[in-house]
Amino acid sequence: MSTKSPQVLVIDDDPDIVKAAALLLSRHGIDVTGAGDPDAAWVKLAERRFDAILLDLNFARGQTSGDEGFAMLERLIAADSDAVVVVVTGHSGISVAVRAMREGASDFVIKPWSNERLLATTQRAIDLARAKRAVAPAPVGGDGAFLLGEDASIVRVRDLVAQVAPTDAAVLVRGPAGSGKSLVARALLAGARRGGTVVTVDGGGTVPDLPADGTLVIEDVDAIPRAAQAEWVRRCGTTRIVATSRLDRAALRAALIDDLLYRINTIEIDLPPLRDRGGDAVRLARHFLDLFAARYARPAKPIGDEAARAIAADRWPDDVRGLRQACERAVLLGTGAVHDVADFALSVDIDDPVPRAIADLNLARGEKAMVAAALQRHAFNVSRAAAELGLTRAALYRRMDKHGF
């Protein structure tokens, strides 16, 4: 039996509810972390794995439908099929609580709760979570197996992972460098019903000997030398394969022999590049900023309006990985009350450091408007406007001449 204190996450917009739960449970050796809404909860979930989650079903004032809570419950179960979630609802919410249990919650608590009921329910949830992990330990690595984002393209990926993870089907995960292929692979493993050995290898390496009931994760499967591909097919036997590649379908077909391609692509999951995920870049930036602020014990700061526009417009050549790194740097080096464009180092070059994202826009509209606004804010004081825009005076004068100021 584990001697580590159980970890419980309470997701509730009422700080008094969180405090009451923490006071009760801590007296019984249970550590409680609070989150005021689902967005804050994902930051906490990325930092550590919790034994149990107490989830309120309503967050917006006056709401009683539970829609926000059900959406969070669905995402929690999709991200980790072993997550143990206890829903918390009001006296009128019995039918809502029953629905939540049908959709994956392990139990429910009615507010206002009795301390005995809350403690007993939480302890049962903790015991259930630990029993699940004893059978199928969580994969190690990363900031949690959570595919964050609300764009329809990433929602489809999450839905597909939830469908496929419990099966033994081979899965091919394609996407640009840094888009989260390894994260998808971990999510597939977290939801797998198959136990046994999990071995991760690079396509440039040699195929290991694997037991029949194991899972082989092949990173950059297209790197397997063509002369060795038949041997990989033979040695893999009945092992389940989860493979990743940066190549598109046509290029991958050209790189692999048919036998290997057919062996790995029963199910194909295509990860969209971050630039095609609508507002997810800013959503992920807020998540990463909060994550690193907590990790480095720095104050959490909002993203300035101009920085948010630059983040949303940037093409992010290193995809989510590049955004994550930029946010970590912003937390460590940012000095203002908000995170501005300079914090994210989105500049084209040192001599003309206009934000990289803005350089990719249609400057006939975007750049002219940005320059005009800065000049007006500073009563056409070029030095101050240039400083706000992150430009040298000479670079700003060039833009003023270009746009007829």
Side-chain angles (χ1 to χ4, degrees):
M1 179 178 292
S2 174
T3 59
K4 181 182 177 182
S5 295
Q7 304 288 315
V8 171
L9 176 64
V10 180
I11 310 173
D12 198 302
D13 62 327
D14 187 340
D16 291 336
I17 293 291
V18 176
K19 184 175 181 181
L23 287 173
L24 170 66
L25 298 177
S26 63
R27 290 200 298 267
H28 296 272
I30 300 171
D31 291 340
V32 172
T33 299
D37 56 45
D39 286 342
W42 286 114
V43 175
K44 304 300 182 184
L45 287 161
E47 293 171 351
R48 72 182 74 128
R49 198 178 196 200
F50 291 89
D51 294 286
I53 300 168
L54 303 185
L55 173 64
D56 186 24
L57 291 179
N58 295 292
F59 296 93
R61 185 178 298 276
Q63 288 294 315
T64 59
S65 67
D67 289 345
E68 295 167 299
F70 284 122
M72 183 63 175
L73 175 62
E74 181 182 10
R75 289 184 61 188
L76 286 167
I77 301 302
D80 182 0
S81 62
D82 288 334
V84 177
V85 183
V86 176
V87 298
V88 182
T89 185
H91 270 310
S92 61
I94 292 292
S95 61
V96 172
V98 172
R99 175 188 163 193
M101 292 184 67
R102 287 200 302 266
E103 296 186 13
S106 68
D107 210 335
F108 67 91
V109 173
I110 300 296
K111 291 192 289 188
W113 61 65
S114 74
N115 285 347
E116 293 78 10
R117 164 73 175 170
L118 178 64
L119 179 60
T121 302
T122 304
Q123 189 59 63
R124 283 198 303 272
I126 292 168
D127 292 343
L128 175 60
R130 292 188 167 180
K132 285 185 174 185
R133 290 179 198 172
V135 175
V140 177
D143 290 323
F146 298 110
L147 299 169
L148 301 180
E150 299 301 332
D151 186 72
S153 60
I154 204 68
V155 171
R156 285 194 295 271
V157 170
R158 280 202 302 266
D159 290 344
L160 192 53
V161 168
Q163 287 181 271
V164 174
T167 75
D168 291 336
V171 182
L172 171 62
V173 185
R174 287 198 307 267
S179 60
K181 297 185 294 296
S182 295
L183 190 62
V184 171
R186 290 202 300 273
L188 288 165
L189 294 175
R193 72 181 182 190
R194 173 188 288 233
T197 304
V198 175
V199 175
T200 300
V201 297
D202 185 88
T206 58
V207 61
D209 292 320
L210 290 175
D213 64 346
T215 299
L216 176 64
V217 179
I218 309 174
E219 296 183 342
D220 296 320
V221 65
D222 49 274
I224 299 176
R226 197 171 183 86
Q229 290 178 16
E231 176 67 7
W232 277 73
V233 174
R234 186 185 69 79
R235 296 273 297 278
C236 286
T238 59
T239 300
R240 184 189 189 188
I241 296 178
V242 176
T244 71
S245 177
R246 302 178 187 182
L247 302 183
D248 62 23
R249 184 176 284 107
L252 190 61
R253 180 173 291 278
L256 302 181
I257 63 172
D258 287 347
D259 284 350
L260 180 56
L261 183 63
Y262 296 149
R263 182 67 180 81
I264 65 175
N265 74 340
T266 303
I267 302 294
E268 297 184 10
I269 297 178
D270 289 327
L271 272 170
L274 183 57
R275 63 178 178 271
D276 292 341
R277 288 174 52 183
D280 275 356
V282 177
R283 293 187 186 100
L284 288 171
R286 292 193 177 104
H287 166 76
F288 289 135
L289 290 170
D290 287 345
L291 172 67
F292 288 117
R295 179 171 298 179
Y296 295 118
R298 302 293 176 88
K301 298 186 293 187
I303 303 173
D305 291 344
E306 187 177 7
R309 289 193 295 271
I311 289 169
D314 200 85
R315 295 188 63 78
W316 293 107
D318 295 319
D319 222 83
V320 175
R321 181 173 58 200
L323 174 62
R324 185 182 186 279
Q325 184 181 61
C327 290
E328 183 173 15
R329 182 170 52 240
V331 167
L332 292 173
L333 302 180
T335 58
V338 300
H339 287 297
D340 59 22
V341 172
D343 290 353
F344 298 94
L346 296 177
S347 58
V348 178
D349 60 62
I350 194 168
D351 296 322
D352 195 10
V354 68
R356 184 179 72 201
I358 294 172
D360 288 338
L361 295 175
N362 179 352
L363 297 185
R365 180 177 60 184
E367 183 183 75
K368 183 175 182 179
M370 179 186 70
V371 170
L375 289 170
Q376 289 172 3
R377 280 193 294 271
H378 296 286
F380 277 76
N381 183 308
V382 174
S383 295
R384 292 178 181 175
E388 177 187 314
L389 294 170
L391 300 174
T392 63
R393 282 171 54 89
L396 180 53
Y397 274 126
R398 288 197 296 273
R399 281 163 177 75
M400 290 171 66
D401 181 63
K402 173 183 175 182
H403 296 297
F405 291 110

